[in-house]
Every structure is written in C-alpha cells, then in structure tokens.
Amino acid sequence: MAGDHLPLAELTSSGRPVLLPSEIECSFLSNVELESENSANFSVRLKSGLLILTTHRLIWLPPNPVPPGSKGCYVPLAAVSHIVSKKSMKSMFASPRLSFQVSVGPDGRVDTKSLVRGSRSIVMTAVMRGKGDVDSFVAKFWENWRGRAWERDNEELGSSSSVKSGHESGSGSGGFDSTGMRMVGVAGILRREQEIWESTDKSLHDAFQDLNALMSKAKEMVMLAEKMRLKLLSGSSQAGAANNEEMGSKEEMQDWLLSVGIISPVTKESAGALYHQQLSRQLADFVKFPLERSGGMINLIDIYCLFNRARGTELISPEDLLRACSLWDKFDVPVMLRKFDSGVMVIQNKSYRDEEVFARIKTLVTKPDTLRMGISASDAALTLGIAPAMAKEHLLTAESQGLLCRDVSPDGFRFYVNLFPEIISDDLYVVQHHGVYAMWNTIVSSA
Amino acid sequence: MQKLGDFKLPPFFNYPPYFTLQPVRDTREKQIQLWKDLILDYCKTQKIFIIGLEEEFPLFSNHVIERSLTHEAREAFLSALVSEGRAEWLDKGRRKCLILWHRIQEWADIIVNFVKDNALEDGGVVTVEEIRSGIESRGTELHCLDRTILMRALKLLEHKGKLAIFKGTSADDEGSKESAAKPCNRDSIRNNFHFCWAVVGMEL
C-alpha cells in the first residue's frame, strides 16, 4: 500500500489538503499516475489521481469518486534528491513522464527525516495522462525544489528564537545592539522601537512594490497582523477593564485577521481546468466560519465580499462564485446554495431547517404586543439576531407556508399571525374559545 | 361589538391583514370568502344594490385601525361575487357593480308571491312603480327595489310566460292603466298558466 511508503496527506471535510503554516499551492494536474521503479521493499502505484504541487510537497489525491480504501499521500520536496527529466515534456506517442529521485529510509518510508539518515534512493515517476499544462507544472516543480521553502521555515524558527534571546539579554544586562550603540534606558528603548518601525516600514514598502514579492511576503504580513493582535490583547489587559473603544478595535482587528487568513488562494493559473473544482472546495471550507457567525444562513453577496477580501489579489468574479456554489452538488460538502422566490440567494448548512426559524417566528408573533401590532422585518431581525434582508426572506417564507399574513399600509409592511384558518365561514360572528384568534380578540377588544 | 350604522361588524373586521389582498393562495381564498359574505350581508341589511368602486363605500374602510381596501382589492372581491353570480358589472370599465344579494330568480319568486299575497286578479294590470313603491310593497323586500333588478326579474317572468310587459304612453297614472290595456292573447295565456296579468312601466 502506498500508505506504507509515503506519508498520508491530511484533508479537510471538503476534500482539500490541509496546508502547512507557510505552504502555498502552485500547480494542479489531473489524471496523474504516480509509480516507483520496481524494487525490493518499496513499491508505489497510484492511479489517475490529482497531483498538487506546493512550495513544500507534491500531494497526490485520489480521484472523485474515491475508490474504497484509497487515501491521499505526499512526497516532501525535501526528500527529493534529484530531478531526472528533461525540461521539455512533449512527446508524440506517450504521456509525459516526470521522474525524480527520492530518498528512502531503511524502514521503506519516505519522509524528511530519512535524508539525515543517509539512505538509499528510489526513482519515482509521475505519468501525466490528463490534459493540463505539463510544461508549466514541471517548471514550477524545478523552481519550488530549488526554492527550498521548508529550509527557510526552519531558519525562521531558529532566528525568531534567537531574536527573542537577543532582546532578553539586551534588557537584562543593559547591553549593546549589533551596531555597538548603547541600548540603555528610555533612549535605548525608543531607538529600538524606532528600528523596528523602520524595518516594518521597509518591509511593507518592499511588499507593495512587487506583487511577486508580495506573495512571499504574505507570510510576513500575517505574522505582522498576529503581532498587532497580541499587542492589542496585552494592551487591553494592562489597562484593566477594557473600555468600549478598545473592544471595538479588537473586534475589528479580529475581522481583518479573518479576512487575511488565506495565504494560498486557488488561482486560474495554478489549477487550470480544475480551477472551478478547487475553488468550489476552498469556498466550502471558507464559508464555515461566517455561517456559524450568522446563524446557519448567509447572503451570497456577503460571501462574495468576504471571500474576495480574504483572497486579496486574484479576485473571483460573481459568475465564478455562482459556478463554484453550483458545483457543490457534485461533492459531498456540508453546505448548499438556496434561492428564494424573491430571487435572493443564500448559502446555508445542509443541516439547516426552516422549521426552527418558523418556531421562533411563531413565538414572536403571538405575544400580546405583536398580536396587536404585528411585526416588521427589522423587528424580526432584532429579535432573531439576523440581518434584516434575511429576516424579510424568513417572514416571506413563513407567509407562504400559511403561518403569517401581510399588512400593507402607509405605516409600512408588517406581518401578523395568520388568523384566517380559525375564522368560521358559516358564522362570521363566532369566535371559538381556544386558539390564537380568541387570544387576539381578547387583546384587541380590551384596548 | 363594532357597528357601521346599525350593522354589526364581525370581530375580524379589526384584523389589519383583512384589508390587504393576500398573495398566498389558500389564505387569499379564505379572505375572499369572508369579504363576499360580508358584502352580501351588509348590502342586504342596508338595502344597497349598487357599489361604485371609485366612491366611498363604508364597508371598505375601517377608521379604527386606519385601513382601507385598495382599488385592486375591491375589484378582486367584487369580481369574485360576479363569478359566483351574486353580482354584475354595469359597465365595461368596472366602475359600478350591481349586487344581487337575492339572485334574479329569487326576486322573480318574491314578485310572484307578492302578487299572490295581494290577490291581484288574473288578467290584472299593475305598474312597475306599484310593485316597488306601492302601499302593498311597504314592509316587503320589494320596497325600493332597484329598477334594473326589478325589470330583469320581470323579464325573466315574461320569458316564462307568467306575465306580459307593456309600455305606458303617458305619465298619468290612471290614464296609463286604461290606455295600456292593449289587447293580448289572453285566452291562450289563460289556458296555459295559473295566472296572468299585465305589467305596465313608464320607463322601459
């Protein structure tokens, strides 16, 4: 089994790979067969799957629908010791083949640690049987392998800890910084702050100069945002009880963080023909958090704004969004697109049930005040804790189910509980003892 | 209980949605049913035969809850009455509606009974005015009956051969009776039907 030799790839509930902290997806190819040369205790043969190239790994995902027992796995680029193929892949008769040499540990498993143990090498080949831009995939493969993004991560982990220790030693022993200037007292603190601000400023400046550089700086940006958040948190706790303004800005900061949360947007370039599929899955993942916050149903327009904001660059068009949502039917994702009679479209959890909202509306609309005065969409929005546009859709749906009646007047558009079923046609003057009609009648007569 | 004049209003008259035409089919059907019954009841007790859509009609507004039926709603409810045969549009523009809280056939029956009760002889003559405003008509439903409806009922009876209608020549009451006694084939009529009498009207 491939699982014996290659590490398994962790997936989200929508079938997307869970990426490492600074990992970015670069290219996709479908219908790829991954195999190894025949060898004693290492044999891999994975058919017609999806091959994803990232800055850190080559991920192989099983095709859709998934054959039983098959799981996604990956080859860390760190374990690749040599790329065998020529740069040009075009061949008249056979499918293009990309071969590379992988270090394998004595236990027959590939992972980054095996490099260190000085092991043997196995040649693996990816046979590209599908349509797709193979040349660009291979070019990026070379680029990423040379880029050695995983080593930079290790470096940074090491460097950030050394920076911390540097600061500690500085404040502890009243010491000097790298240029030999005295970093003592308030002046020293100010100077240190100044230097940090300058380097931050330069970092921002560089990032905005060059969009390519921005992609690699994206990780730095996120770290910056993280630091700001921590500062805010520590700032508010120092002040004791946080006042309203601080709470407000903290909330804003969290919102902004959410919206810069995605480092690796799926783009047309990296996914080619699979663009919509991968976008669809990424959207399904993204949508979970906003859905929770808005009670299980959210306007499509709101998601369009939120999603594009999170992507930053490589914005998607409304048509792309619609197509991505309609693809959800084909996958097993926990969300769905719903269109109301009025034309409003929303995204909701598959587990969402109208009945719950109807029960709440019914309770709201049979209170003494609302029996007499009815409710408007904004009243309902306030009580139910949802957006007014959504509240109106719910009220209209409840009306179509016979739960409510509308009242249109110069006072506005209001809804009352539907009493018509309880009114007896044969005798217009009779009000039965039990029921909402009786309750209504009592309240109205006593006014 | 609320009243409109001396007419008792039902409790749901103060329910605001009653005055908004409902879009949902089942709800609307019930609403239409209630309005039809209410209109007929009101017109019957208040002896109203014609409703003008563009005029103020007390039943179509409720000042207590400050609601009125829109033109569209009024037309919808009256059209429902027309479809049921309890009303008729008097003009193509649908501005005036004739309310038949008794159907024409019912009015015809009432007229026949009226004649019987007042022992008008066979072959007798009576004017249209006498039917609707004569001494005998007071206290009956025929009193102040709308002329259009009356003529329709009479025509229906004529069609069934129970009477014959003649046009009078002058406004003079006494004179009209005599001059109106035109010859008709009384014998054939008498042989075939229970009673017959001639009806004379000034405006025919």
Side-chain angles (χ1 to χ4, degrees):
Chain A
M1 289 294 302
D4 298 339
H5 304 292
L6 298 174
L8 289 177
E10 215 185 313
L11 297 180
T12 68
S13 60
S14 315
R16 291 260 309 143
V18 172
L19 301 179
L20 302 169
S22 50
E23 192 178 7
I24 300 175
E25 288 165 313
C26 301
S27 199
F28 298 75
L29 279 181
S30 65
N31 207 357
V32 172
E33 189 179 309
L34 198 60
E35 57 184 12
S36 64
E37 63 179 12
N38 283 331
S39 156
N41 57 351
F42 188 101
S43 169
V44 165
R45 202 182 175 89
L46 301 166
K47 287 198 173 196
S48 57
L50 177 68
L51 194 65
I52 304 177
L53 170 72
T54 74
T55 45
H56 293 55
R57 311 179 269 175
L58 258 183
I59 305 176
W60 184 91
L61 293 182
N64 187 29
V66 180
S70 114
K71 293 207 171 109
C73 48
Y74 66 89
V75 176
L77 293 184
V80 173
S81 50
H82 186 51
I83 300 180
V84 172
S85 301
K86 305 173 278 296
K87 292 232 173 136
S88 166
M89 301 295 295
K90 293 238 182 339
S91 161
M92 281 284 271
F93 302 105
S95 305
R97 305 171 96 84
L98 170 66
S99 293
F100 46 93
Q101 212 168 5
V102 173
S103 310
V104 175
D107 57 351
R109 284 189 62 83
V110 175
D111 42 17
T112 30
K113 299 188 199 71
S114 62
L115 262 180
V116 180
R117 277 184 251 162
S119 41
R120 35 185 256 252
S121 290
I122 291 285
V123 174
M124 293 191 66
T125 311
V127 185
M128 280 95 164
R129 297 193 193 281
K131 291 177 234 182
D133 191 353
V134 176
D135 284 333
S136 108
F137 185 93
V138 174
K140 284 189 184 152
F141 185 39
W142 276 94
E143 211 178 289
N144 287 357
W145 183 64
R146 288 214 186 97
R148 308 200 85 80
W150 54 94
E151 281 173 15
R152 241 184 300 149
D153 284 350
N154 292 334
E155 263 174 35
E156 279 184 5
L157 274 174
S159 67
S160 63
S161 56
S162 68
V163 162
K164 226 197 295 186
S165 58
H167 270 220
E168 275 164 14
S169 65
S171 54
S173 54
F176 294 75
D177 76 342
S178 50
T179 60
M181 291 189 68
R182 287 179 68 85
M183 294 294 245
V184 159
V186 176
I189 295 171
L190 285 176
R191 217 173 290 138
R192 212 182 303 145
E193 288 295 321
Q194 179 68 18
E195 279 181 10
I196 293 172
W197 273 113
E198 275 173 2
S199 75
T200 308
D201 191 48
K202 184 167 181 301
S203 175
L204 279 169
H205 187 70
D206 286 339
F208 283 112
Q209 290 282 48
D210 182 4
L211 279 178
N212 273 334
L214 178 62
M215 277 306 287
S216 59
K217 294 275 184 207
K219 189 189 148 210
E220 277 191 44
M221 292 300 110
V222 174
M223 271 175 61
L224 194 63
E226 189 68 32
K227 276 188 206 148
M228 283 163 78
R229 180 173 83 100
L230 287 171
K231 203 161 223 159
L232 261 179
L233 276 175
S234 63
S236 63
S237 63
Q238 271 174 22
N243 59 25
N244 280 338
E245 219 178 87
E246 276 186 341
M247 287 306 279
S249 63
K250 189 161 94 150
E251 203 111 39
E252 261 180 65
M253 189 56 54
Q254 283 181 344
D255 281 328
W256 288 338
L257 281 180
L258 172 68
S259 60
V260 289
I262 300 183
I263 310 185
S264 150
V266 174
T267 68
K268 277 196 172 102
E269 207 184 80
S270 58
L274 298 173
Y275 173 63
H276 288 290
Q277 271 199 38
Q278 292 300 315
L279 181 67
S280 178
R281 291 188 195 271
Q282 188 177 61
L283 184 65
D285 282 334
F286 174 78
V287 127
K288 262 181 222 134
F289 192 56
L291 264 185
E292 237 168 277
R293 241 182 349 170
S294 63
M297 184 187 279
I298 187 166
N299 205 326
L300 195 64
I301 297 176
D302 294 340
I303 282 294
Y304 175 72
C305 297
L306 288 173
F307 194 52
N308 268 336
R309 197 124 156 282
R311 287 171 71 93
T313 57
E314 305 281 359
L315 306 182
I316 62 168
S317 69
E319 291 82 22
D320 285 335
L321 182 70
L322 252 185
R323 213 177 307 170
C325 292
S326 19
L327 280 180
W328 284 339
D329 291 337
K330 306 214 175 91
F331 313 139
D332 188 21
V333 289
V335 288
M336 57 182 269
L337 183 67
R338 175 178 177 179
K339 188 170 181 172
F340 285 102
D341 293 332
S342 56
V344 168
M345 289 199 272
V346 297
I347 294 178
Q348 66 182 45
N349 281 320
K350 270 191 184 146
S351 58
Y352 176 87
R353 290 282 165 265
D354 280 338
E355 279 72 21
E356 292 165 26
V357 184
F358 288 170
R360 292 171 74 194
I361 291 176
K362 179 141 194 198
T363 315
L364 173 62
V365 108
T366 46
K367 294 194 158 68
D369 286 333
T370 49
L371 271 179
R372 193 183 300 133
M373 304 292 297
I375 53 169
S376 66
S378 34
D379 294 336
L382 272 172
T383 316
L384 297 175
I386 56 182
M390 286 290 96
K392 185 152 190 196
E393 286 309 317
H394 286 309
L395 291 175
L396 288 172
T397 315
E399 183 195 34
S400 70
Q401 299 288 315
L403 185 66
L404 300 175
C405 281
R406 63 173 63 180
D407 164 46
V408 178
S409 73
D411 293 339
F413 197 130
R414 301 181 80 79
F415 289 89
Y416 287 73
V417 65
N418 186 3
L419 296 179
F420 284 108
E422 289 189 47
I423 303 174
I424 300 175
S425 321
D426 295 334
D427 190 335
L428 305 182
Y429 296 88
V430 134
V431 178
Q432 285 179 317
H433 290 300
H434 304 293
V436 189
Y437 185 32
M439 235 196 309
W440 172 83
N441 196 29
T442 317
I443 288 171
V444 165
S445 313
S446 63
Chain B
M1 194 164 295
Q2 223 174 299
K3 285 192 178 186
L4 206 56
D6 59 349
F7 179 73
K8 268 202 278 185
L9 290 166
F12 57 81
F13 197 71
N14 285 335
Y15 179 53
Y18 187 57
F19 285 83
T20 302
L21 192 57
Q22 296 296 320
V24 176
R25 195 187 56 168
D26 290 340
T27 314
R28 184 200 283 239
E29 276 172 18
K30 187 66 179 280
Q31 183 189 30
I32 289 179
Q33 183 62 49
L34 294 173
W35 270 107
K36 280 198 295 195
D37 292 342
L38 193 62
I39 292 171
L40 289 176
D41 266 352
Y42 182 73
C43 290
K44 183 169 180 174
T45 56
Q46 308 297 307
K47 291 231 167 200
I48 293 172
F49 297 98
I50 294 182
I51 296 181
L53 256 74
E54 272 145 28
E55 292 146 27
E56 266 263 357
F57 188 59
L59 195 65
F60 290 159
S61 307
N62 182 340
H63 298 294
V64 173
I65 58 171
E66 290 175 343
R67 296 284 185 273
S68 283
L69 287 180
T70 60
H71 185 97
E72 191 199 348
R74 296 174 192 210
E75 210 187 302
F77 301 138
L78 290 173
S79 298
L81 275 175
V82 170
S83 310
E84 211 184 290
R86 304 309 294 254
E88 282 176 17
W89 292 110
L90 289 173
D91 61 325
K92 279 218 169 78
R94 295 192 172 191
R95 284 189 298 258
K96 283 199 178 334
C97 193
L98 187 70
I99 308 295
L100 302 168
W101 35 273
H102 276 312
R103 294 178 198 273
I104 303 283
Q105 179 59 55
E106 289 162 5
W107 284 116
D109 294 339
I110 292 170
I111 293 170
V112 165
N113 289 329
F114 172 75
V115 166
K116 276 204 194 123
D117 291 344
N118 289 286
L120 281 174
E121 52 181 72
D122 280 3
V125 176
V126 88
T127 64
V128 167
E129 275 309 306
E130 275 174 344
I131 295 175
R132 64 182 293 278
S133 55
I135 298 169
E136 291 96 342
S137 74
R138 292 202 194 125
T140 69
E141 284 185 305
L142 291 173
H143 193 65
C144 297
L145 175 59
D146 178 85
R147 280 202 188 85
T148 319
I149 295 179
L150 180 54
M151 287 321 299
R152 297 266 292 275
L154 291 174
K155 286 209 170 96
L156 181 66
L157 287 170
E158 185 183 45
H159 185 73
K160 291 195 175 170
K162 302 235 188 213
L163 55 82
I165 303 176
F166 296 89
K167 203 162 175 204
T169 50
S170 76
D172 192 302
D173 261 4
E174 306 291 335
S176 68
K177 265 192 186 159
E178 280 159 349
S179 60
K182 288 209 173 87
C184 74
N185 197 340
R186 288 190 184 166
D187 291 321
S188 69
I189 294 171
R190 206 177 279 146
N191 290 337
N192 290 322
F193 295 99
H194 257 297
F195 66 93
C196 80
W197 34 283
V199 175
V200 176
M202 289 299 118
E203 312 101 21
L204 284 177

